[in-house]
């Protein structure tokens, strides 16, 4: 019997520990390589050896000799390293939020940006800024809370709008998202138009989705926040699997769906609020990355969730490197790069694979 | 009176409690909004014996699927109660129920590329023993794998183990869903229209699978069906619902007869004996006015 069982259980049709370790281990190594590569490029490019010495000096905290090396070290330590790491964390969170929303709404096209959750968070943050909570766009602990509240409201609204007779038809969900997005964006535009011009310019750049180099305390708080929420989501991965069977079937398997759904909505809104408050509205990472990863490694969320997070991190780190270098020394918002890469992919899915999603 | 009733309940429990007991059960949707609204299920009382196959039939909208859902706790009973194995449904958590009852829904749409083996293993969810810190990787015990394997063998989906559920035909998908339900190791199997979208050879396949499972696993089976012949040929007893009320319950030859069907469905049908089993067989009459 055991031999018979292992014939299918080890043949790649179910998730095994060794497959999980191989995939996640490989992606961790790849992420490391991508991060080191991204550190090299920018307005001034720095070779690998300098990156390495800068990092070792950063951790040892000792002074180094030649002044030119010191300049590039300052660039590395003060600007590039935190920014690349921030990009990685934001991309990972966006992909994780995408995976969670897709399973929760049983819709492969769900994405915090497409559904208007990001706009909700952005409206919350914009309102906070309008009323003078935080003169800078970033780095105030209150901003993520406003982002969370806005995102959660948008998510609940979407859910109520699209639900009919206990079902969530895919197209009505997307339609509700598009309309909600338009309304929320109008509010945000209104806020920017009544602000002082110099403040609204900063807000606009942030809204388009841009990464900046945060200070180390802010980076530390943000990464702890992200790691904590990702760990909780990871812990719920098996529930996500069962939820894809449909809500009634999930309940007949002993899942208290109402409570689980509320928790998952709150977690995704929390993460979206945090992401939006630091990086504005970066679109399509949450949809494109999980989709591609799912095609390669299957749908089991215990593997899909961490793998998508790592790939999403790499994707955004690379996209941000492009945004920094294409028009150097000027920068373009990274949201433009992801939208240009992800938008056509979304259209392709919507038009060409219609049969599979209905 | 109450004392007498509990007394009989206890004595029947001591012998062998029925798998499902339904007592004065009423149910309606949207309880708060319209108090005067009609009951979807209206004061039903019946029981299903252990190891029995009960068929629930009735016209569209007579409450067949709702009855199935109330029996698994998916919908809350308005009045009355349901007991599973002698224990009231209300006193059991959704996981307790899931270890006893498995439900095969009418249709199963999977938008994500899950394999058959992954889907069947999800049936082990109510039996999981993982601690709170576990991230779920490698949670499947040898017993979980063995149960899933056994369920796939019995439903003959083992050769499909690594295929994607979304790529299967209707009949194959239905067997996968039954395998998923069997992996739950239930005592009671509930099926909502198991043959509805299937062509005739898959209908036969699913029906004989159900009969075989009852014999091999001693399962109690309740199936909702549109098809009176499926109910007649494969069920020990048939329950007829009309507008949420219990019309008749009994063996097929007492329930599937022209005057009862006229009362329930409001039309005349031809009922004769099946040449192999002798059980009632229902056919559409040729309309006399056409000639």
């Amino acid at each position: 019997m055991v031999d018979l069982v292992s014939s299918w259980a080890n043949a790649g049709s179910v998730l095994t520990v060794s497959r999980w370790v191989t995939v996640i281990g490989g992606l961790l190594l790849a992420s490391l390589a991508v991060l080191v590569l991204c550190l090299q490029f920018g307005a001034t490019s720095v070779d690998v050896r300098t990156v390495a010495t800068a990092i070792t000096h950063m951790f040892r905290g000792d002074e180094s000799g030649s002044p030119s090396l010191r300049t590039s070290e300052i660039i590395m330590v003060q600007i590039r390293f935190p920014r690349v790491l921030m990009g990685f964390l934001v991309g990972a969170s966006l992909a994780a939020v995408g995976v969670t929303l897709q399973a929760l709404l049983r819709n492969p096209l769900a994405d915090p940006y497409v559904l208007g959750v990001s706009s909700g968070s952005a409206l919350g943050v914009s309102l906070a800024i309008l009323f003078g909570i935080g003169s800078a766009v970033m780095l105030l602990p209150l901003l993520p809370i406003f982002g969370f509240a806005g995102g959660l409201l948008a998510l609940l609204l979407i859910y109520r709008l699209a639900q009919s007779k206990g079902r969530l038809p895919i197209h009505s969900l997307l339609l509700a998202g598009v309309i909600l997005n338009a309304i929320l964006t109008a509010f945000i535009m209104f806020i920017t138009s009544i602000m002082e011009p110099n403040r609204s310019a900063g807000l606009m750049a942030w809204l388009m989705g841009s990464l900046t180099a945060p200070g180390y305390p802010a980076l530390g708080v943000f990464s702890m926040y992200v790691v904590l929420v990702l760990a909780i989501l990871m812990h719920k991965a098996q529930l996500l699997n069962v939820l894809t069977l449909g809500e009634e079937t999930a309940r007949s398997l002993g899942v208290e769906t109402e409570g689980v759904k509320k928790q998952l909505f709150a977690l995704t809104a929390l993460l979206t609020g945090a992401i939006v408050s630091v990086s504005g509205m970066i679109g399509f990472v949450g949809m494109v990355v999980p989709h591609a990863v799912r095609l390669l490694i299957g749908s089991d969320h215990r593997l899909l969730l961490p793998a998508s997070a790592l790939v999403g991190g790499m994707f955004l780190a690379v996209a941000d490197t492009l945004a920094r270098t294409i028009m150097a020394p000027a920068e373009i918002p990274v949201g433009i790069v992801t939208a240009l890469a992800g938008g056509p992919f979304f259209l392709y899915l919507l038009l060409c694979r219609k049969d599979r999603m209905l | 009176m109450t004392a007498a009733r509990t007394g009989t309940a206890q004595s029947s429990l001591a012998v062998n409690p029925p798998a499902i007991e339904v007592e004065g059960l009423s149910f309606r949707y949207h309880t708060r909004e319209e108090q005067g609204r009609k009951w979807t299920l209206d004061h039903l009382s019946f029981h299903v014996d252990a190891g029995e196959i009960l068929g629930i039939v009735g016209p569209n909208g007579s409450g067949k699927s709702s009855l199935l859902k109330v029996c698994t706790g998916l919908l809350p009973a308005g009045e009355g109660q349901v007991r599973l194995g002698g224990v009231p449904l209300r006193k059991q958590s959704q996981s307790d129920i899931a270890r006893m009852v498995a439900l095969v829904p009418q249709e199963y749409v999977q938008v994500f590329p899950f394999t058959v083996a992954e889907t069947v293993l999800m049936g082990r969810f109510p039996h999981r023993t993982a601690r709170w810190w576990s991230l779920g990787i490698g949670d499947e015990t040898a017993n979980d794998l063995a149960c899933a394997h056994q369920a796939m063998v019995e439903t003959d989906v083992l050769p499909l183990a690594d295929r994607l559920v979304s790529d299967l035909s209707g009949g194959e998908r239905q067997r996968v869903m039954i395998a998923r339900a069997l992996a739950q190791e239930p005592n009671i199997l509930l099926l909502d229209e198991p043959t509805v979208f299937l062509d005739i050879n898959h209908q036969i396949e699913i029906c004989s699978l159900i009969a075989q499972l009852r014999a091999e696993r001693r399962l109690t089976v309740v199936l909702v069906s549109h098809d009176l012949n499926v109910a007649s040929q494969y069920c020990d007893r048939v329950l007829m619902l009309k507008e949420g009320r219990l019309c008749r319950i009994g063996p097929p030859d007492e329930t599937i007869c022209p005057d009862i069907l006229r009362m329930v469905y409001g039309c005349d049908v031809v009922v004769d004996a099946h040449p192999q089993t002798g059980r009632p067989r229902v056919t559409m009459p040729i309309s006399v006015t056409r000639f």
Side-chain angles (χ1 to χ4, degrees), chain B residues 76-155:
Chain B
E79 288 172 15
Q81 65 169 342
V82 178
R83 281 196 295 269
L84 295 177
V87 188
L89 210 51
R90 262 165 235 213
K91 293 194 180 160
Q92 305 182 49
S93 73
Q94 204 65 46
S95 313
D96 292 339
I97 300 170
R99 282 187 286 270
M100 208 165 9
V101 188
L103 175 71
V104 178
Q106 192 173 59
E107 53 175 341
Y108 169 58
V109 183
Q110 178 58 273
V111 290
F112 299 112
F114 278 102
T115 65
V116 168
E118 282 169 338
T119 308
V120 174
L121 263 177
M122 284 183 208
R124 298 301 299 166
F125 188 79
H127 297 275
R128 75 201 181 288
T129 48
R131 298 303 176 83
W132 63 269
W133 64 79
S134 151
L135 293 184
I137 304 110
D139 269 359
E140 289 90 359
T141 61
N143 184 39
D144 288 342
L145 293 175
C147 282
H149 184 84
Q150 178 66 21
M152 287 198 282
V153 169
E154 282 174 50
T155 50

Side-chain angles (χ1 to χ4, degrees), chain A residues 34-35 87-92 95 285 308-318:
Chain A
V34 165
L35 285 182
F88 188 83
L89 287 173
V90 167
V285 179
S308 296
L310 289 172
V311 174
M314 287 190 264
F315 179 77
L316 198 64
V318 171

Side-chain angles (χ1 to χ4, degrees), chain B residues 47-278:
Chain B
H47 64 90
V48 187
D49 289 321
E52 179 183 34
I53 301 186
L54 178 78
I56 301 177
V57 298
N60 292 337
S62 55
K64 305 188 292 290
S65 297
S66 306
L67 177 56
L68 221 50
K69 285 174 193 168
V70 175
C71 288
T72 43
L74 293 184
L75 294 173
E79 288 172 15
Q81 65 169 342
V82 178
R83 281 196 295 269
L84 295 177
V87 188
L89 210 51
R90 262 165 235 213
K91 293 194 180 160
Q92 305 182 49
S93 73
Q94 204 65 46
S95 313
D96 292 339
I97 300 170
R99 282 187 286 270
M100 208 165 9
V101 188
L103 175 71
V104 178
Q106 192 173 59
E107 53 175 341
Y108 169 58
V109 183
Q110 178 58 273
V111 290
F112 299 112
F114 278 102
T115 65
V116 168
E118 282 169 338
T119 308
V120 174
L121 263 177
M122 284 183 208
R124 298 301 299 166
F125 188 79
H127 297 275
R128 75 201 181 288
T129 48
R131 298 303 176 83
W132 63 269
W133 64 79
S134 151
L135 293 184
I137 304 110
D139 269 359
E140 289 90 359
T141 61
N143 184 39
D144 288 342
L145 293 175
C147 282
H149 184 84
Q150 178 66 21
M152 287 198 282
V153 169
E154 282 174 50
T155 50
D156 199 21
V157 293
L158 195 60
L160 309 173
D162 57 351
R163 295 266 301 277
L164 296 183
V165 176
S166 44
D167 293 345
L168 301 181
S169 71
E172 289 170 332
R173 201 173 314 164
Q174 190 63 276
R175 280 188 283 144
V176 170
M177 290 324 284
I178 295 177
R180 204 264 303 138
L182 291 179
Q184 262 173 275
E185 293 189 295
N187 307 323
I188 304 167
L189 182 65
L190 307 181
L191 302 112
D192 195 353
E193 303 269 15
T195 58
V196 70
F197 297 120
L198 305 181
D199 55 34
I200 186 100
N201 69 321
H202 288 117
Q203 286 185 21
I204 297 169
E205 197 180 274
I206 296 291
C207 288
S208 36
L209 173 63
I210 292 167
Q212 175 202 334
L213 289 176
R214 185 265 293 265
E216 286 173 2
R217 290 197 174 219
R218 311 215 146 273
L219 277 175
T220 306
V221 180
V222 178
L223 64 92
V224 161
S225 184
H226 249 17
D227 191 333
L228 289 168
N229 288 319
V230 166
S232 170
Q233 302 306 318
Y234 290 94
C235 297
D236 301 318
R237 286 192 304 156
V238 175
L239 187 159
M240 284 220 176
L241 276 182
K242 188 195 183 188
E243 290 168 2
R245 292 199 194 87
L246 195 155
C247 226
R248 197 63 66 98
I249 182 167
D253 45 351
E254 288 172 24
T255 43
I256 307 214
C257 49
D259 33 330
I260 293 176
L261 291 177
R262 189 184 309 116
M263 186 174 78
V264 173
Y265 288 90
C267 64
D268 289 306
V269 290
V270 177
V271 178
D272 58 358
H274 190 280
Q276 286 177 307
T277 60

